[in-house]
Structures are given as C-alpha cells and as structure tokens.
Amino acid sequence: MKLASSFTVALALALLPGCGSSIENLCEDRCDCTRDCSPDDEDDCIDNLEDAEREALDQGCEEQFDAAIACVEDEFACRSGNVDVDGCRQEVDALGRCTDLPTGLLFWAAIND
C-alpha cells in the first residue's frame, strides 16, 4: 500500500472542468472549522488539492480522485475545531494505491492539516 497507514490531513472532490470552486469551498470550510487559517494557508490547501488532482489525472486515476473528493464533501464534519472525514479512509487509500504516494498524502494533508 502506497498511502501511509496513519493520516495527517486530507481533502478532494470529483473535479471535472469548471468544478474548481468545490476545492475552494472545501478549503474554505476546513479553515472555517479550524479557525486557524491565514489566507496563505487556504491558498496552500487549494494548491495542494489542485496538484493532487493534476497528478491523479496524469496517472489515469480520475475515478479514484473523484470518489475521494465526493466522499470528503459528503462526510465533512467539523468537530470541536477539527475536520472529521474519517469515513473516507477507503477512498483516500484507493487514490493513494492508484497514484504515487505524494498524491494521496497531498490530498489528505490538504483536508486535515
């Protein structure tokens, strides 16, 4: 398994052309939840997810990326200032197995950082 067993952080969504705002909304929601984001932190989240999306597309893993993003959008919960998307472990792991390790980690880190 290419994705590390323990999560650090994550995020993603079913990105078809024109859906970039979903990534932006997800990063905004993460920052609203943690209340610990500067504008640069939010931009980094967006950049990391967009990088993960590009890498997934380049490696033929669009389906896995879309599933991970869709799950994160559906499961996103803010609990005491922490993002909870633990129900998406299977989808993020599948993304990590399909792509190189950095894609899965970028995705997870963007969401849970």
Side-chain angles (χ1 to χ4, degrees), residues 51-73:
D51 289 348
E53 176 193 19
R54 273 189 295 281
E55 193 171 318
L57 293 174
D58 288 348
Q59 294 184 35
C61 301
E62 181 177 6
E63 184 178 316
Q64 290 83 353
F65 186 84
D66 289 350
I69 287 296
C71 182
V72 168
E73 287 182 317

Side-chain angles (χ1 to χ4, degrees), residues 22-49:
S22 293
I23 285 178
E24 293 168 8
N25 291 339
L26 194 51
C27 290
E28 182 178 333
D29 289 346
R30 182 187 68 85
C31 286
D32 289 346
C33 174
T34 63
R35 295 187 181 118
D36 188 27
C37 275
S38 71
D40 287 340
D41 293 335
E42 189 170 333
D43 288 343
D44 288 346
C45 172
I46 293 166
D47 290 344
N48 286 340
L49 286 178

